[in-house]
Amino acid sequence: MADASFDIVSKVERQEVDNALNQAAKEISQRYDFKGVGASIAWSGEKVEIRANSEERALAVLDVFQTKLVKRGISLKVLDSGEPQISGKEYKLFSSIEEGISQENAKKLAKIIRDEGPKGVKAQVQGEELRVSAKSRDALQEVIQLIKGQDLDFAVQFVNYR
């Protein structure tokens, strides 16, 4: 019998992020506390650009965006936000969406699986994902629970379970 396997990935559905951004932009345009402060949120290339006339307002816009992401089921671990910087008369804040598991993080996950996981489970790095395989599906379920229990600084999903 062939080994059972699954992949550990860190992917974000771009459409969901776009929907969250549009919802946040709509809320910002309609909310009373954002009137007259020049607050806006929009895509700027691959990054999300937040503008406002004060540092506090820029951070408030970021908070609205984060709330919309969470409501759409997107982990905040994929959002990499900088600090608001002054640019002329307004503050700008750039946030990027991080995808893929870095080689360093993939090695860290493989070490956790090797050290704490059940015997006979193999983990191998394949680009920006980690393939986990074992003889029994029960061992794979244990690995999934082990990874979910870890406090990782990046979001993970489990795909291609077979």
Side-chain angles (χ1 to χ4, degrees):
M1 188 176 118
D3 284 0
S5 68
F6 69 90
D7 295 333
I8 300 175
V9 297
S10 181
K11 290 196 168 114
V12 178
E13 202 164 318
R14 198 62 162 188
Q15 187 61 49
E16 290 297 324
V17 175
D18 204 35
N19 291 343
L21 185 108
N22 291 336
Q23 286 178 343
K26 186 173 183 178
E27 182 174 322
I28 289 160
S29 70
Q30 294 175 346
R31 265 182 40 183
Y32 177 74
D33 58 337
F34 287 118
K35 293 281 188 229
V37 296
S40 68
I41 182 170
W43 286 108
S44 174
E46 287 294 308
K47 294 184 180 234
V48 175
E49 180 181 19
I50 296 172
R51 294 172 178 233
N53 67 357
S54 74
E55 189 173 352
E56 293 78 25
R57 285 286 141 226
L59 291 171
V61 172
L62 177 64
D63 186 50
V64 169
F65 181 50
Q66 288 174 336
T67 303
K68 299 300 179 187
L69 285 174
V70 169
K71 283 185 179 175
R72 293 209 149 266
I74 298 170
S75 172
L76 292 181
K77 291 179 181 178
V78 301
L79 189 67
D80 182 25
S81 298
E83 290 297 315
Q85 268 128 26
I86 194 158
S87 171
K89 291 183 179 176
E90 64 183 4
Y91 283 83
K92 288 183 181 178
L93 189 147
F94 289 97
S95 297
S96 60
I97 307 297
E98 302 292 323
E99 286 191 285
I101 300 175
S102 68
Q103 291 290 327
E104 175 186 316
N105 287 336
K107 287 178 184 172
K108 199 184 320 179
L109 276 177
K111 182 171 175 20
I112 290 170
I113 293 168
R114 201 173 40 250
D115 294 346
E116 301 174 31
K119 297 284 180 237
V121 176
K122 295 186 282 290
Q124 60 192 105
V125 179
Q126 295 181 332
E128 292 189 335
E129 54 187 50
L130 187 71
R131 166 80 39 98
V132 180
S133 58
K135 294 269 186 231
S136 78
R137 290 178 176 238
D138 291 340
L140 293 180
Q141 291 291 336
E142 285 181 48
V143 171
I144 290 174
Q145 293 307 316
L146 173 70
I147 299 300
K148 282 183 178 178
Q150 297 294 318
D151 184 27
L152 303 171
D153 55 351
F154 55 97
V156 293
Q157 294 87 32
F158 306 100
V159 296
N160 297 338
Y161 188 82
R162 37 181 112 101

